[in-house]
C-alpha cells in the first residue's frame, strides 16, 4: 500500500497522470471560499473542486440544477485566492455545457477566475464538448456514474452501474471520455468492482466518491467531511473526519492521509 506525503510543489495538470503512474493517490475536497481553501491547501489536499454542490450545501437548494455559471465563477475566484499548491477545478453547472460554444464561454470565465480545469458531467453528446474544450487548451475533468445534474431523468440520487449492461456502458463511457481528451475522471456512486475495472482500464486518474478504495483518488463534499447537516440524506460513503481530526485543519489532514494510505474509503463507506 502506497503512503505518500503532501506534494512539495504546486500541482500541475500533467503531474496528475504522473501521480497515477507513480501509484500516488490524490486527495480532493470541494470548497467554496478562501478561508477553507487556505486551510485545505496547508493540510496537503491535492485537488480542490468548486462543485455545483454549492447549490445544495451553500445555497440550500434541493438539487444542483439552479446553480449558474456566475455562481461558480464567483466561488472559484474566492477559492483561488486561498490556494498555493492545490490544483483548482471548477464545475460547469447545469446546461452551461449544453453546446460546445456555451461550454467554451463558461470555461474561459472559470479559468480566468483561477481554475486550472473544468469538470463536466456525462458522456454522449458531451464527448464533443470535451474535445472542443481540450482542443482550445482547456483541461477537462469528466464525471460519470451518478451525475447529479441528471437527477430528474434518474429519479433520484442512486447507485449507478449495478447490473452487467449498465456496468459495461459505464466502462465504455469511461474509455470514451479519456479518448475525447479528459485528464481526470470523477466516478460517483459506482459499485467497487466496476470502479476498480475502470481504474485499471484507463491511463488517466479516477477520483471516486462512493466508488470504493481502488480509485486513484477520492473526493468528498466539504460539509460532509465536517459532519455538517446540510439538510439532505447522508449517503453511505460520507465520513465525518472532524471527529477524528479534532479541528478543521486536522480533519483535512486526516482525510488526505487516509486517502493516501488507502484506509479511506473502507467497505463500510463503499458499495459492493
Ligand atoms: O459538485 C460536486 O461537489 C461534485 C462532487 C461531489 C464530485 O461534483
Amino acid at each position: 500500500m502506497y503512503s505518500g506525503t503532501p506534494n512539495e510543489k504546486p500541482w500541475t495538470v500533467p503531474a496528475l497522470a504522473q501521480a497515477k503512474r507513480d501509484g500516488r493517490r490524490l486527495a480532493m475536497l470541494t470548497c467554496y471560499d478562501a478561508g477553507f481553501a487556505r486551510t485545505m491547501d496547508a493540510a496537503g489536499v491535492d485537488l480542490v473542486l468548486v462543485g455545483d454542490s454549492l447549490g445544495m450545501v451553500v445555497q440550500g437548494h434541493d438539487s444542483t440544477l439552479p446553480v449558474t455559471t456566475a455562481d461558480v465563477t464567483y466561488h472559484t475566484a474566492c477559492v483561488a485566492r486561498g490556494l498555493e499548491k492545490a490544483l483548482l477545478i471548477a464545475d460547469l453547472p447545469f446546461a452551461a455545457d449544453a453546446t460546445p460554444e456555451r461550454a467554451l464561454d463558461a470555461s474561459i470565465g472559470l479559468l480566468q477566475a483561477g481554475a486550472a480545469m473544468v469538470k463536466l458531467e456525462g458522456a454522449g453528446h458531451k464527448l464533443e464538448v470535451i474535445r472542443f474544450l481540450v482542443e482550445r487548451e482547456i483541461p477537462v475533468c469528466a464525471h460519470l456514474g451518478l451525475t447529479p445534474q441528471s437527477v430528474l431523468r434518474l429519479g433520484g440520487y442512486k447507485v449507478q452501474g449495478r447490473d452487467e449492461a449498465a456496468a459495461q456502458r459505464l466502462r465504455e463511457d469511461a474509455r470514451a471520455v479519456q479518448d475525447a481528451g479528459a485528464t481526470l475522471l470523477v466516478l460517483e456512486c459506482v459499485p467497487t468492482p466496476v470502479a476498480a475495472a475502470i481504474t485499471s482500464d484507463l491511463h488517466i486518474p479516477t477520483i471516486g466518491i462512493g466508488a470504493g478504495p481502488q480509485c486513484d483518488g477520492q473526493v468528498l463534499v466539504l460539509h460532509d467531511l465536517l459532519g455538517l447537516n446540510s439538510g439532505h440524506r447522508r449517503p453511505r460513503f460520507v465520513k465525518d473526519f472532524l471527529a477524528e481530526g479534532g479541528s478543521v485543519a486536522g480533519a483535512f489532514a486526516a482525510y488526505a492521509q487516509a486517502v493516501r494510505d488507502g484506509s479511506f474509503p473502507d467497505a463500510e463507506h463503499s458499495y459492493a
Side-chain angles (χ1 to χ4, degrees):
M1 190 175 288
Y2 182 88
S3 171
T5 51
N7 227 30
E8 294 294 326
K9 293 187 291 188
W11 278 97
T12 62
V13 172
L16 301 176
Q18 187 60 46
K20 175 157 181 151
R21 289 192 289 274
D22 294 344
R24 186 201 191 293
R25 289 200 181 90
L26 298 165
M28 172 161 150
L29 282 176
T30 72
C31 188
Y32 316 96
D33 72 33
F36 278 115
R38 198 168 294 114
T39 312
M40 282 177 195
D41 196 81
V45 171
D46 303 306
L47 305 171
V48 170
L49 169 67
V50 179
D52 62 356
S53 52
L54 74 86
M56 298 173 80
V57 298
V58 176
Q59 298 173 333
H61 294 295
D62 282 342
S63 77
T64 60
L65 302 185
V67 177
T68 65
T69 300
D71 294 334
V72 183
T73 309
Y74 170 79
H75 287 279
T76 298
C78 296
V79 170
R81 291 182 204 113
L83 298 182
E84 285 179 15
K85 290 198 290 192
L87 188 101
L88 178 54
I89 304 171
D91 254 343
L92 285 170
F94 179 60
D97 56 358
T99 66
E101 291 75 15
R102 284 185 69 162
L104 178 63
D105 280 350
S107 302
I108 290 170
L110 294 171
L111 264 54
Q112 290 176 340
M117 187 180 290
V118 299
K119 177 165 82 57
L120 60 82
E121 297 183 6
H125 82 277
K126 301 289 181 70
L127 298 173
E128 187 195 349
V129 178
I130 296 172
R131 274 191 293 270
F132 192 82
L133 295 179
V134 171
E135 280 166 4
R136 285 157 184 79
E137 308 298 354
I138 296 175
V140 174
C141 172
H143 181 158
L144 296 173
L146 170 56
T147 47
Q149 292 172 15
S150 317
V151 63
L152 300 178
R153 176 175 58 80
L154 297 175
Y157 300 102
K158 300 171 186 167
V159 179
Q160 302 296 305
R162 280 233 191 253
D163 63 57
E164 191 45 51
Q168 182 55 28
R169 266 198 311 280
L170 260 180
R171 286 182 75 157
E172 288 166 8
D173 285 349
R175 280 195 215 108
V177 296
Q178 173 179 270
D179 292 348
T183 302
L184 208 57
L185 170 60
V186 167
L187 290 172
E188 179 164 354
C189 290
V190 172
T192 295
V194 179
I198 291 172
T199 300
S200 79
D201 270 357
L202 301 188
H203 58 75
I204 60 172
T206 60
I207 307 290
I209 175 163
Q214 286 164 60
C215 294
D216 300 304
Q218 300 291 327
V219 58
L220 277 183
V221 169
L222 166 65
H223 294 57
D224 291 340
L225 170 131
L226 296 178
L228 295 176
N229 174 4
S230 47
H232 305 285
R233 192 178 57 83
R234 260 171 79 88
R236 175 191 176 99
F237 56 79
V238 163
K239 181 171 172 190
D240 174 357
F241 278 90
L242 187 58
E244 98 180 42
S247 66
V248 171
F252 295 158
Y255 166 72
Q257 184 54 35
V259 171
R260 287 192 190 108
D261 68 21
S263 57
F264 178 79
D266 53 14
E268 193 192 327
H269 296 95
S270 306
Y271 301 100

